[in-house]
Amino acid sequence: MLARGNLRVWVGAALLVLGTNSNAAFTITFSQVGGNVVATGSGSINTAALTLSGSATRPNVRSGNALAYIGGTPLVNSAIEVSSVGSVVGPTSFGSQLVDTEPNTASGGLVGIVGVNSRIFVPPGYVSQTPINSSATWNGATFASLGLTPGTYTWTWGAGPTADSFTVVIGAAAPASIPTLSEWAMLSMSGLLALAGFAAVRRQRG
């Protein structure tokens, strides 16, 4: 049986793991909705390992350079700040199109990726790891007309507490992924916490 002191240690460790979030992660998903292509983005971005280096002015897609900006307003130059670092690692394309194609409508903060230049874009004044929700719609478009190759494309940067990722999903979302090490740790600590609680109850009844 667990002593009361050991129980406190297990509980403290479990709460520490459960309260840790080292990977914020942001995902843009392109879907064919009727005769339109719709891109939706959600999640947050850890900018601790990124540095300010420039700006972007409008949402668009250029698959041949792994470029995708969504959000903002296509008809107005809505400049955003860009965070970029050479250590951003990932694909340099997710299709064949080398011409910018702007969406017909967009909403939310302008956010995006340029894989060929290892750049991550966030809205002006963005606070690291806060939620971003954006979208863009290309009317009368298909994956083929936008030069989009279905698949899942992921970029990563940082290490430890600054580690994060940006993913572009074209087509159906990928199957549920295998839990990461941090997720395994969370599951393991949750199980240990439950066992510790059960042991404490048994001890009190004993």
Side-chain angles (χ1 to χ4, degrees):
M1 295 182 180
L2 288 173
R4 185 169 298 176
N6 290 337
L7 177 59
R8 291 196 187 100
V9 172
W10 282 114
V11 171
L15 291 176
L16 179 62
V17 171
L18 291 173
T20 301
N21 178 20
S22 61
N23 191 317
F26 186 84
T27 300
I28 294 177
T29 301
F30 285 87
S31 304
Q32 187 71 53
V33 181
N36 305 326
V37 170
V38 178
T40 56
S42 64
S44 58
I45 296 173
N46 188 335
T47 61
L50 304 176
T51 56
L52 181 64
S53 65
S55 64
T57 58
R58 65 191 188 282
N60 65 85
V61 63
R62 189 197 315 145
S63 60
N65 293 124
L67 181 155
Y69 307 147
I70 64 171
T73 305
L75 302 180
V76 178
N77 289 335
S78 301
I80 67 167
E81 297 185 5
V82 52
S83 292
S84 166
V85 66
S87 62
V88 175
V89 178
T92 57
S93 72
F94 44 72
S96 58
Q97 187 75 275
L98 292 175
V99 177
D100 288 353
T101 305
E102 295 185 26
N104 297 91
T105 59
S107 65
L110 191 56
V111 60
I113 179 81
V114 184
V116 74
N117 291 329
S118 299
R119 292 183 176 180
I120 304 295
F121 291 77
V122 295
Y126 178 70
V127 177
S128 182
Q129 300 188 68
T130 56
I132 305 173
N133 291 284
S134 304
S135 67
T137 299
W138 287 261
N139 295 337
T142 63
F143 289 166
S145 69
L146 296 178
L148 299 171
T149 300
T152 299
Y153 307 84
T154 301
W155 295 263
T156 59
W157 65 91
T162 68
D164 207 352
S165 64
F166 193 114
T167 299
V168 171
V169 179
I170 301 171
S177 60
I178 297 174
T180 63
L181 289 177
S182 61
E183 289 170 336
W184 276 120
M186 185 181 297
L187 291 171
S188 298
M189 293 306 297
S190 297
L192 288 172
L193 181 59
L195 288 174
F198 178 75
V201 171
R202 288 287 300 274
R203 183 170 178 274
Q204 289 176 352
R205 290 180 177 177

